[in-house]
Amino acid sequence: MKKTELHDLVLETVNEYVKEAELSTGDNTFTIKVAVNKNPTKEGIKIQLIPKGNTVLDEPDERNDVNEKVQSAMNAKLDKFGLQVNIDPDLGQATDNPNVLGYYIPLSQIKNLITKALKGE
């Protein structure tokens, strides 16, 4: 089997089984996008919640409420790993969609997680 054929077969198989990660909160459903934040003041893992369907967060109070609830829920789940998400204050530079919610986990927390794991903690 040629390398390109193998690549295509693996890609096709992965696409069959890997689905988009989603998060629902109240009436809102989001696709979860995870990437690396290269901004030197916020180096780490960035998490964006991209709205699906009819999700519209056009009222500032509603957006803030959903943002805080999602942050609180993620922090409760990540606490056992010593991780905590921060709301991304510069999200507007990364997307022009006002309904996207953005967070990041600082690289220093990831470093601590790895260090503890290697020490057996």
Side-chain angles (χ1 to χ4, degrees):
M1 180 178 285
K2 293 181 182 177
K3 185 177 179 180
T4 55
E5 291 173 335
L6 179 60
H7 173 270
D8 292 345
L9 178 63
V10 169
L11 187 59
E12 182 180 317
T13 304
V14 167
N15 285 336
E16 282 181 35
Y17 292 102
V18 176
K19 305 290 182 211
E20 288 181 339
E22 290 186 356
L23 171 74
S24 292
T25 174
D27 296 335
N28 304 306
T29 302
F30 300 91
T31 299
I32 301 172
K33 178 182 174 187
V34 178
V36 176
N37 193 348
K38 298 175 184 174
N39 181 330
T41 61
K42 298 182 310 190
E43 282 184 327
I45 305 300
K46 69 178 177 180
I47 303 160
Q48 291 183 347
L49 301 182
I50 303 165
K52 292 187 74 160
N54 297 327
T55 297
V56 176
L57 301 172
D58 54 0
E59 297 293 325
D61 289 342
E62 179 188 18
R63 180 182 174 77
N64 289 339
D65 185 50
V66 171
N67 221 355
E68 289 174 13
K69 285 180 181 177
V70 170
Q71 180 186 27
S72 179
M74 283 195 288
N75 284 340
K77 297 290 185 179
L78 293 171
D79 184 56
K80 64 183 173 185
F81 301 109
L83 301 175
Q84 191 172 40
V85 298
N86 298 312
I87 294 175
D88 185 352
D90 301 325
L91 183 63
Q93 296 173 5
T95 181
D96 52 355
N97 183 339
N99 296 306
V100 173
L101 301 177
Y103 310 90
Y104 69 98
I105 301 172
L107 190 58
S108 60
Q109 292 181 21
I110 305 296
K111 177 184 172 187
N112 289 340
L113 175 69
I114 293 168
T115 302
K116 287 179 179 181
L118 292 174
K119 289 180 179 179
E121 297 176 20

